[in-house]
Amino acid sequence: MNMNITPIVMPKWGLSMSEGKLTGWLKPVGAQIAVGDEIMEVETDKIVNVVEADAAGVLRRVIGEDGVVYPVKALIGVIAGADVADEEIEAFVAGYAAPASEEGGDEDSGPRYEFVMTPFGRLRYAKRGDGAEAVVLVHGFGGDLDNWLFNIEALAGAGTVYALDLPGHGQSDKKLGDASLGWLASAVVAFMDAVGVESAHLVGHSMGGAVAGRVALDQPGRVKSLALIGSAGLGPEINGPYLDGFVAAGSRRDLKPLLEQLFDDPALVNRQLVDEVLKYKRIDGVEGALRGLAAGVFPEGRQTSVLAEELKASGIPALVIWGETDRIIPAAHASALGAGAKSETLAGAGHMVQMEKAGRVNELLLAHLSA
Amino acid sequence: MTRKISFKTAINEALDLEMTRDPNVILLGEDIVGGSGAPGEADAWGGVLGVTKGLYAKHGGRLLDTPLSESAYVGAAIGAAACGMRPVAELMFIDFMGVCFDQIFNQAAKFRYMFGGKAKTPVVIRAMVGAGFRAAAQHSQMLTPLFTHIPGLKVVCPSNAYEAKGLLIQAIRDDDPVIFCEHKNLYGLECEVPEESYAIPFGEANIAREGKDVTIVSYGLTVNRALEAAERLARKDRVEAEVIDLRTLSPIDWDTVLESVESTGRLVVVDEANPRCSLASDVAAYVAQHAFGALKAAPQMVTAPHTPTPFSPSLEDLYVPSTDAIVAAVGKTIARAKAA
């Protein structure tokens, strides 16, 4: 095989993705491609996102057609040097067979999600990778572990990655205790106990960042580092009307405009994403849990727990990532940990920066985890 | 957590969860336990197709096996509802509603209105609907339009197991009489359903598939055919159909239908009921009246013909709206638009 030929394939984003729809090419045939260039747009059963090139060269073949659904790893296009002969590319395309799963067995036939009993109820989680370092991903208010669907596979190279559904969220039990950050932090520690993780790098998004920070302060021995993404706990401001609206929304019509506020590009919020959130919100007990949590952690549209000074004093290694156009928690909070923490604010991303700029966020996280 | 279960299991689970949550929920119906002659709980049938199987063992005397007298036990259920219970009556086949119509449309549907808003009638009447089961003309009808015609009744017809569970839970919690229509050919169909209780609100249609070229409106079993048709249209003809599952026929979500037609300009309504005075004609008329300016072609209706359901299997297969017929109807809206 000519090493100058790189296939563009249907990516696998998250545990449940088995196919995706090519919704459009962002580069024409013959275009010069640099690593990281956005080359095509793909819609999954969760969300629409762009695929970035992982090799440089010329876009020599466009095989995938707009609007067609392809299985994960199917050949969609070919990047190659301008000097590679057409015949070689034809041969490459003709001989291309989607590689079997990297992990030996058929990963799709195994459990996508696992469950574990804790004193905080039954919690759902996903686990990828098997390295020595443990990484725990903690989603935000009203979210679930699928908020990490563009990150969990990429981070698996750095260690064993766990993403959990917090109590009251996703498919974990819906009962909350006193609906405080401290209670959720204890739930994260109980989860680590239950899956046998002594200490971990915690990656938290939004409210999950504040939960991770609370764990680091309450149980410093259990936390090796923090990565805080669009995080709560770094300043008092938060979008109160968004929180109230999210808790109250019971229909697609009410919910969609709210979810659009989470992204820099509102077009990313497709029918499936709204449906998934609605299915969660309809479950008995969820509205009460969210209402209690919002009242406990973000009463009257303010954050009651600002952990920035305590985190600075703790000396725990921290990375802060923000989307520049975050409409839920202001990007100004990105500098709250001062010069002691690496902080990066990404353009073209809103509150769900780990989804909208997944490639860059994964790079930053991998560098942080290996530091 | 979620797992795959059938439509039938979803119905059973909804009944079980609501009976557990609320002691006022009771079930009445023919053989829903197993008939007075059944030798024991383990042998109980749980209804004609086993939908209520296992519930008697859990909830005992709150399941009442009734005589073969729909007019008596549907009336009893409505009376119990007016007195504070939340009965769910199972009527086997919707075709048998005829014998208890006075109880339903003169009594249950009118109590709230005629008693100055002071009376509630939280009764659910479940019944199987639809053809394709080789059960002939008296056990195969899609009589949904009879009930949507009557103000005071809510009418629900789910399209898959997820919808069935959430809509039945909402039906039981609702304070008005609900006619809950279960397509018998969906009973074996499985999909991902949460273990927990959840209620799907009435009057909100589900956009089962997004598309920009044509709006296909349906409910019940034919939503699945519409989705198949949409997949085929996308693959073969590059036509992106939006598929709207009405979920509840009363109340009906006009806003979602109109918004969709305003963006696509084309409407196909798929209804398994006979065509005259049907949901198909209702939706087509409403859209013609309220979104005429947006229409690029005449609305198309795909329905059963205006005949009783045939017993002959080959004729019955032709009777129910097929995926082919839906694809062809979409083709008409597009050809018409091009010609114009």
Side-chain angles (χ1 to χ4, degrees), chain B residues 121-140:
Chain B
T121 314
V123 65
V124 179
I125 303 174
R126 294 177 41 238
M128 284 188 277
V129 296
F133 207 63
R134 314 301 187 224
Q138 296 165 324
H139 302 78
S140 301

mmCIF file with all atom_site columns, all heavy atoms in Angstrom, chain B residues 121-140:
data_model
loop_
_atom_site.group_PDB
_atom_site.id
_atom_site.type_symbol
_atom_site.label_atom_id
_atom_site.label_alt_id
_atom_site.label_comp_id
_atom_site.label_asym_id
_atom_site.label_entity_id
_atom_site.label_seq_id
_atom_site.pdbx_PDB_ins_code
_atom_site.Cartn_x
_atom_site.Cartn_y
_atom_site.Cartn_z
_atom_site.occupancy
_atom_site.B_iso_or_equiv
_atom_site.pdbx_formal_charge
_atom_site.auth_seq_id
_atom_site.auth_comp_id
_atom_site.auth_asym_id
_atom_site.auth_atom_id
_atom_site.pdbx_PDB_model_num
ATOM 1   N N   . THR B 1 121 ? -63.690 12.215  34.235 1.00 0.00 ? 121 THR B N   1
ATOM 2   C CA  . THR B 1 121 ? -63.932 10.814  33.859 1.00 0.00 ? 121 THR B CA  1
ATOM 3   C C   . THR B 1 121 ? -62.614 10.188  33.389 1.00 0.00 ? 121 THR B C   1
ATOM 4   O O   . THR B 1 121 ? -62.386 9.992   32.200 1.00 0.00 ? 121 THR B O   1
ATOM 5   C CB  . THR B 1 121 ? -65.001 10.726  32.744 1.00 0.00 ? 121 THR B CB  1
ATOM 6   O OG1 . THR B 1 121 ? -66.101 11.584  33.092 1.00 0.00 ? 121 THR B OG1 1
ATOM 7   C CG2 . THR B 1 121 ? -65.501 9.302   32.594 1.00 0.00 ? 121 THR B CG2 1
ATOM 8   N N   . PRO B 1 122 ? -61.744 9.869   34.335 1.00 0.00 ? 122 PRO B N   1
ATOM 9   C CA  . PRO B 1 122 ? -60.413 9.368   33.937 1.00 0.00 ? 122 PRO B CA  1
ATOM 10  C C   . PRO B 1 122 ? -60.431 7.885   33.592 1.00 0.00 ? 122 PRO B C   1
ATOM 11  O O   . PRO B 1 122 ? -59.843 7.068   34.290 1.00 0.00 ? 122 PRO B O   1
ATOM 12  C CB  . PRO B 1 122 ? -59.552 9.649   35.177 1.00 0.00 ? 122 PRO B CB  1
ATOM 13  C CG  . PRO B 1 122 ? -60.508 9.631   36.326 1.00 0.00 ? 122 PRO B CG  1
ATOM 14  C CD  . PRO B 1 122 ? -61.853 10.069  35.788 1.00 0.00 ? 122 PRO B CD  1
ATOM 15  N N   . VAL B 1 123 ? -61.090 7.545   32.498 1.00 0.00 ? 123 VAL B N   1
ATOM 16  C CA  . VAL B 1 123 ? -61.159 6.151   32.070 1.00 0.00 ? 123 VAL B CA  1
ATOM 17  C C   . VAL B 1 123 ? -60.335 5.981   30.789 1.00 0.00 ? 123 VAL B C   1
ATOM 18  O O   . VAL B 1 123 ? -60.248 6.907   29.975 1.00 0.00 ? 123 VAL B O   1
ATOM 19  C CB  . VAL B 1 123 ? -62.630 5.724   31.826 1.00 0.00 ? 123 VAL B CB  1
ATOM 20  C CG1 . VAL B 1 123 ? -63.256 6.491   30.663 1.00 0.00 ? 123 VAL B CG1 1
ATOM 21  C CG2 . VAL B 1 123 ? -62.750 4.232   31.598 1.00 0.00 ? 123 VAL B CG2 1
ATOM 22  N N   . VAL B 1 124 ? -59.704 4.834   30.662 1.00 0.00 ? 124 VAL B N   1
ATOM 23  C CA  . VAL B 1 124 ? -59.013 4.489   29.413 1.00 0.00 ? 124 VAL B CA  1
ATOM 24  C C   . VAL B 1 124 ? -59.710 3.262   28.846 1.00 0.00 ? 124 VAL B C   1
ATOM 25  O O   . VAL B 1 124 ? -59.952 2.294   29.576 1.00 0.00 ? 124 VAL B O   1
ATOM 26  C CB  . VAL B 1 124 ? -57.533 4.156   29.659 1.00 0.00 ? 124 VAL B CB  1
ATOM 27  C CG1 . VAL B 1 124 ? -56.843 3.782   28.340 1.00 0.00 ? 124 VAL B CG1 1
ATOM 28  C CG2 . VAL B 1 124 ? -56.804 5.317   30.323 1.00 0.00 ? 124 VAL B CG2 1
ATOM 29  N N   . ILE B 1 125 ? -60.052 3.308   27.567 1.00 0.00 ? 125 ILE B N   1
ATOM 30  C CA  . ILE B 1 125 ? -60.601 2.123   26.908 1.00 0.00 ? 125 ILE B CA  1
ATOM 31  C C   . ILE B 1 125 ? -59.581 1.689   25.857 1.00 0.00 ? 125 ILE B C   1
ATOM 32  O O   . ILE B 1 125 ? -59.323 2.411   24.887 1.00 0.00 ? 125 ILE B O   1
ATOM 33  C CB  . ILE B 1 125 ? -61.969 2.417   26.279 1.00 0.00 ? 125 ILE B CB  1
ATOM 34  C CG1 . ILE B 1 125 ? -62.929 2.941   27.374 1.00 0.00 ? 125 ILE B CG1 1
ATOM 35  C CG2 . ILE B 1 125 ? -62.525 1.152   25.620 1.00 0.00 ? 125 ILE B CG2 1
ATOM 36  C CD1 . ILE B 1 125 ? -64.272 3.397   26.862 1.00 0.00 ? 125 ILE B CD1 1
ATOM 37  N N   . ARG B 1 126 ? -58.958 0.540   26.111 1.00 0.00 ? 126 ARG B N   1
ATOM 38  C CA  . ARG B 1 126 ? -57.952 0.007   25.188 1.00 0.00 ? 126 ARG B CA  1
ATOM 39  C C   . ARG B 1 126 ? -58.636 -0.944  24.223 1.00 0.00 ? 126 ARG B C   1
ATOM 40  O O   . ARG B 1 126 ? -59.469 -1.748  24.634 1.00 0.00 ? 126 ARG B O   1
ATOM 41  C CB  . ARG B 1 126 ? -56.885 -0.793  25.943 1.00 0.00 ? 126 ARG B CB  1
ATOM 42  C CG  . ARG B 1 126 ? -56.004 -0.025  26.889 1.00 0.00 ? 126 ARG B CG  1
ATOM 43  C CD  . ARG B 1 126 ? -55.033 -0.991  27.615 1.00 0.00 ? 126 ARG B CD  1
ATOM 44  N NE  . ARG B 1 126 ? -54.527 -1.976  26.693 1.00 0.00 ? 126 ARG B NE  1
ATOM 45  C CZ  . ARG B 1 126 ? -54.654 -3.288  26.849 1.00 0.00 ? 126 ARG B CZ  1
ATOM 46  N NH1 . ARG B 1 126 ? -55.233 -3.782  27.906 1.00 0.00 ? 126 ARG B NH1 1
ATOM 47  N NH2 . ARG B 1 126 ? -54.178 -4.112  25.945 1.00 0.00 ? 126 ARG B NH2 1
ATOM 48  N N   . ALA B 1 127 ? -58.222 -0.881  22.964 1.00 0.00 ? 127 ALA B N   1
ATOM 49  C CA  . ALA B 1 127 ? -58.778 -1.831  22.007 1.00 0.00 ? 127 ALA B CA  1
ATOM 50  C C   . ALA B 1 127 ? -57.799 -2.029  20.851 1.00 0.00 ? 127 ALA B C   1
ATOM 51  O O   . ALA B 1 127 ? -57.066 -1.109  20.493 1.00 0.00 ? 127 ALA B O   1
ATOM 52  C CB  . ALA B 1 127 ? -60.108 -1.323  21.464 1.00 0.00 ? 127 ALA B CB  1
ATOM 53  N N   . MET B 1 128 ? -57.808 -3.231  20.294 1.00 0.00 ? 128 MET B N   1
ATOM 54  C CA  . MET B 1 128 ? -56.953 -3.495  19.138 1.00 0.00 ? 128 MET B CA  1
ATOM 55  C C   . MET B 1 128 ? -57.612 -2.965  17.881 1.00 0.00 ? 128 MET B C   1
ATOM 56  O O   . MET B 1 128 ? -58.834 -3.085  17.712 1.00 0.00 ? 128 MET B O   1
ATOM 57  C CB  . MET B 1 128 ? -56.698 -4.996  19.007 1.00 0.00 ? 128 MET B CB  1
ATOM 58  C CG  . MET B 1 128 ? -55.692 -5.514  20.005 1.00 0.00 ? 128 MET B CG  1
ATOM 59  S SD  . MET B 1 128 ? -55.262 -7.217  19.649 1.00 0.00 ? 128 MET B SD  1
ATOM 60  C CE  . MET B 1 128 ? -56.609 -8.071  20.432 1.00 0.00 ? 128 MET B CE  1
ATOM 61  N N   . VAL B 1 129 ? -56.814 -2.402  17.013 1.00 0.00 ? 129 VAL B N   1
ATOM 62  C CA  . VAL B 1 129 ? -57.308 -1.862  15.748 1.00 0.00 ? 129 VAL B CA  1
ATOM 63  C C   . VAL B 1 129 ? -56.503 -2.468  14.599 1.00 0.00 ? 129 VAL B C   1
ATOM 64  O O   . VAL B 1 129 ? -55.428 -3.035  14.798 1.00 0.00 ? 129 VAL B O   1
ATOM 65  C CB  . VAL B 1 129 ? -57.161 -0.327  15.682 1.00 0.00 ? 129 VAL B CB  1
ATOM 66  C CG1 . VAL B 1 129 ? -58.024 0.355   16.726 1.00 0.00 ? 129 VAL B CG1 1
ATOM 67  C CG2 . VAL B 1 129 ? -55.697 0.103   15.842 1.00 0.00 ? 129 VAL B CG2 1
ATOM 68  N N   . GLY B 1 130 ? -57.040 -2.294  13.398 1.00 0.00 ? 130 GLY B N   1
ATOM 69  C CA  . GLY B 1 130 ? -56.244 -2.508  12.202 1.00 0.00 ? 130 GLY B CA  1
ATOM 70  C C   . GLY B 1 130 ? -56.360 -3.870  11.559 1.00 0.00 ? 130 GLY B C   1
ATOM 71  O O   . GLY B 1 130 ? -56.786 -4.849  12.171 1.00 0.00 ? 130 GLY B O   1
ATOM 72  N N   . ALA B 1 131 ? -55.973 -3.903  10.292 1.00 0.00 ? 131 ALA B N   1
ATOM 73  C CA  . ALA B 1 131 ? -56.067 -5.110  9.475  1.00 0.00 ? 131 ALA B CA  1
ATOM 74  C C   . ALA B 1 131 ? -54.695 -5.763  9.337  1.00 0.00 ? 131 ALA B C   1
ATOM 75  O O   . ALA B 1 131 ? -53.708 -5.284  9.866  1.00 0.00 ? 131 ALA B O   1
ATOM 76  C CB  . ALA B 1 131 ? -56.638 -4.754  8.103  1.00 0.00 ? 131 ALA B CB  1
ATOM 77  N N   . GLY B 1 132 ? -54.677 -6.868  8.590  1.00 0.00 ? 132 GLY B N   1
ATOM 78  C CA  . GLY B 1 132 ? -53.424 -7.573  8.360  1.00 0.00 ? 132 GLY B CA  1
ATOM 79  C C   . GLY B 1 132 ? -53.277 -8.783  9.251  1.00 0.00 ? 132 GLY B C   1
ATOM 80  O O   . GLY B 1 132 ? -52.229 -9.410  9.306  1.00 0.00 ? 132 GLY B O   1
ATOM 81  N N   . PHE B 1 133 ? -54.330 -9.126  9.968  1.00 0.00 ? 133 PHE B N   1
ATOM 82  C CA  . PHE B 1 133 ? -54.251 -10.189 10.969 1.00 0.00 ? 133 PHE B CA  1
ATOM 83  C C   . PHE B 1 133 ? -55.102 -11.387 10.553 1.00 0.00 ? 133 PHE B C   1
ATOM 84  O O   . PHE B 1 133 ? -55.306 -12.294 11.321 1.00 0.00 ? 133 PHE B O   1
ATOM 85  C CB  . PHE B 1 133 ? -54.744 -9.616  12.308 1.00 0.00 ? 133 PHE B CB  1
ATOM 86  C CG  . PHE B 1 133 ? -54.167 -10.280 13.521 1.00 0.00 ? 133 PHE B CG  1
ATOM 87  C CD1 . PHE B 1 133 ? -52.800 -10.231 13.773 1.00 0.00 ? 133 PHE B CD1 1
ATOM 88  C CD2 . PHE B 1 133 ? -54.981 -10.942 14.426 1.00 0.00 ? 133 PHE B CD2 1
ATOM 89  C CE1 . PHE B 1 133 ? -52.266 -10.839 14.900 1.00 0.00 ? 133 PHE B CE1 1
ATOM 90  C CE2 . PHE B 1 133 ? -54.456 -11.550 15.556 1.00 0.00 ? 133 PHE B CE2 1
ATOM 91  C CZ  . PHE B 1 133 ? -53.088 -11.499 15.796 1.00 0.00 ? 133 PHE B CZ  1
ATOM 92  N N   . ARG B 1 134 ? -55.609 -11.369 9.337  1.00 0.00 ? 134 ARG B N   1
ATOM 93  C CA  . ARG B 1 134 ? -56.438 -12.472 8.807  1.00 0.00 ? 134 ARG B CA  1
ATOM 94  C C   . ARG B 1 134 ? -57.657 -12.702 9.700  1.00 0.00 ? 134 ARG B C   1
ATOM 95  O O   . ARG B 1 134 ? -58.018 -13.841 10.006 1.00 0.00 ? 134 ARG B O   1
ATOM 96  C CB  . ARG B 1 134 ? -55.630 -13.770 8.695  1.00 0.00 ? 134 ARG B CB  1
ATOM 97  C CG  . ARG B 1 134 ? -54.248 -13.620 8.070  1.00 0.00 ? 134 ARG B CG  1
ATOM 98  C CD  . ARG B 1 134 ? -54.345 -13.059 6.685  1.00 0.00 ? 134 ARG B CD  1
ATOM 99  N NE  . ARG B 1 134 ? -53.055 -13.052 6.003  1.00 0.00 ? 134 ARG B NE  1
ATOM 100 C CZ  . ARG B 1 134 ? -52.595 -12.025 5.294  1.00 0.00 ? 134 ARG B CZ  1
ATOM 101 N NH1 . ARG B 1 134 ? -53.287 -10.900 5.219  1.00 0.00 ? 134 ARG B NH1 1
ATOM 102 N NH2 . ARG B 1 134 ? -51.464 -12.110 4.660  1.00 0.00 ? 134 ARG B NH2 1
ATOM 103 N N   . ALA B 1 135 ? -58.233 -11.609 10.199 1.00 0.00 ? 135 ALA B N   1
ATOM 104 C CA  . ALA B 1 135 ? -59.307 -11.757 11.177 1.00 0.00 ? 135 ALA B CA  1
ATOM 105 C C   . ALA B 1 135 ? -60.650 -11.307 10.624 1.00 0.00 ? 135 ALA B C   1
ATOM 106 O O   . ALA B 1 135 ? -61.614 -11.196 11.370 1.00 0.00 ? 135 ALA B O   1
ATOM 107 C CB  . ALA B 1 135 ? -58.975 -10.984 12.439 1.00 0.00 ? 135 ALA B CB  1
ATOM 108 N N   . ALA B 1 136 ? -60.691 -11.000 9.347  1.00 0.00 ? 136 ALA B N   1
ATOM 109 C CA  . ALA B 1 136 ? -61.935 -10.689 8.629  1.00 0.00 ? 136 ALA B CA  1
ATOM 110 C C   . ALA B 1 136 ? -62.559 -9.356  9.044  1.00 0.00 ? 136 ALA B C   1
ATOM 111 O O   . ALA B 1 136 ? -62.037 -8.629  9.883  1.00 0.00 ? 136 ALA B O   1
ATOM 112 C CB  . ALA B 1 136 ? -62.925 -11.827 8.752  1.00 0.00 ? 136 ALA B CB  1
ATOM 113 N N   . ALA B 1 137 ? -63.701 -9.085  8.431  1.00 0.00 ? 137 ALA B N   1
ATOM 114 C CA  . ALA B 1 137 ? -64.259 -7.732  8.423  1.00 0.00 ? 137 ALA B CA  1
ATOM 115 C C   . ALA B 1 137 ? -64.704 -7.211  9.785  1.00 0.00 ? 137 ALA B C   1
ATOM 116 O O   . ALA B 1 137 ? -64.737 -6.001  10.009 1.00 0.00 ? 137 ALA B O   1
ATOM 117 C CB  . ALA B 1 137 ? -65.439 -7.682  7.447  1.00 0.00 ? 137 ALA B CB  1
ATOM 118 N N   . GLN B 1 138 ? -65.016 -8.113  10.733 1.00 0.00 ? 138 GLN B N   1
ATOM 119 C CA  . GLN B 1 138 ? -65.525 -7.648  12.031 1.00 0.00 ? 138 GLN B CA  1
ATOM 120 C C   . GLN B 1 138 ? -64.442 -7.552  13.097 1.00 0.00 ? 138 GLN B C   1
ATOM 121 O O   . GLN B 1 138 ? -64.732 -7.253  14.249 1.00 0.00 ? 138 GLN B O   1
ATOM 122 C CB  . GLN B 1 138 ? -66.632 -8.602  12.519 1.00 0.00 ? 138 GLN B CB  1
ATOM 123 C CG  . GLN B 1 138 ? -67.853 -8.605  11.614 1.00 0.00 ? 138 GLN B CG  1
ATOM 124 C CD  . GLN B 1 138 ? -68.748 -9.797  11.892 1.00 0.00 ? 138 GLN B CD  1
ATOM 125 O OE1 . GLN B 1 138 ? -68.265 -10.877 12.200 1.00 0.00 ? 138 GLN B OE1 1
ATOM 126 N NE2 . GLN B 1 138 ? -70.058 -9.595  11.768 1.00 0.00 ? 138 GLN B NE2 1
ATOM 127 N N   . HIS B 1 139 ? -63.189 -7.797  12.738 1.00 0.00 ? 139 HIS B N   1
ATOM 128 C CA  . HIS B 1 139 ? -62.102 -7.766  13.715 1.00 0.00 ? 139 HIS B CA  1
ATOM 129 C C   . HIS B 1 139 ? -60.881 -7.045  13.159 1.00 0.00 ? 139 HIS B C   1
ATOM 130 O O   . HIS B 1 139 ? -59.760 -7.302  13.570 1.00 0.00 ? 139 HIS B O   1
ATOM 131 C CB  . HIS B 1 139 ? -61.672 -9.185  14.109 1.00 0.00 ? 139 HIS B CB  1
ATOM 132 C CG  . HIS B 1 139 ? -62.760 -10.025 14.682 1.00 0.00 ? 139 HIS B CG  1
ATOM 133 N ND1 . HIS B 1 139 ? -63.713 -10.624 13.909 1.00 0.00 ? 139 HIS B ND1 1
ATOM 134 C CD2 . HIS B 1 139 ? -63.050 -10.352 15.965 1.00 0.00 ? 139 HIS B CD2 1
ATOM 135 C CE1 . HIS B 1 139 ? -64.540 -11.303 14.676 1.00 0.00 ? 139 HIS B CE1 1
ATOM 136 N NE2 . HIS B 1 139 ? -64.175 -11.151 15.933 1.00 0.00 ? 139 HIS B NE2 1
ATOM 137 N N   . SER B 1 140 ? -61.053 -6.171  12.193 1.00 0.00 ? 140 SER B N   1
ATOM 138 C CA  . SER B 1 140 ? -59.896 -5.629  11.473 1.00 0.00 ? 140 SER B CA  1
ATOM 139 C C   . SER B 1 140 ? -59.991 -4.132  11.208 1.00 0.00 ? 140 SER B C   1
ATOM 140 O O   . SER B 1 140 ? -59.137 -3.577  10.530 1.00 0.00 ? 140 SER B O   1
ATOM 141 C CB  . SER B 1 140 ? -59.763 -6.341  10.115 1.00 0.00 ? 140 SER B CB  1
ATOM 142 O OG  . SER B 1 140 ? -59.608 -7.720  10.288 1.00 0.00 ? 140 SER B OG  1
#
